[in-house]
Amino acid sequence: MDELDAFGKRVKELRQKLSLSQEELAAECDLDRTYISGIERGQRNVSLKNIYKLSRALNVSPSDLFVEDR
């Protein structure tokens, strides 16, 4: 699993923990739902600004979006 896949998997995990749909998360971040889908599938290289938007919407610190090898 590469870095984009791991990041996307973590975003999806946190989103589901909060019982948010992709649409709801996208609205909270002021991003498009298809962009959220691309992140979760490891197809998007997310900008720093969007990492902060995601972390605020998911109620975690930006560093919590990154996982070390488990």
Side-chain angles (χ1 to χ4, degrees), residues 2 5 23 28 33 36 42 45 48 50 52 54 63 69:
D2 74 5
D5 289 328
E23 293 84 359
E28 281 290 317
R33 188 216 44 91
I36 298 296
N45 191 359
L48 184 58
N50 289 340
Y52 274 85
L54 287 164
S63 64
D69 291 337

Side-chain angles (χ1 to χ4, degrees), residues 9-21:
K9 183 178 177 184
R10 180 69 173 149
V11 169
K12 183 176 182 176
E13 175 184 291
L14 292 167
R15 175 181 62 77
Q16 289 176 334
K17 187 176 178 182
L18 293 174
S19 299
L20 292 173
S21 68

Side-chain angles (χ1 to χ4, degrees), residues 34-47:
T34 59
Y35 186 75
I36 298 296
S37 175
I39 292 169
E40 291 185 358
R41 289 181 284 126
Q43 297 180 333
R44 296 288 185 161
N45 191 359
V46 184
S47 72

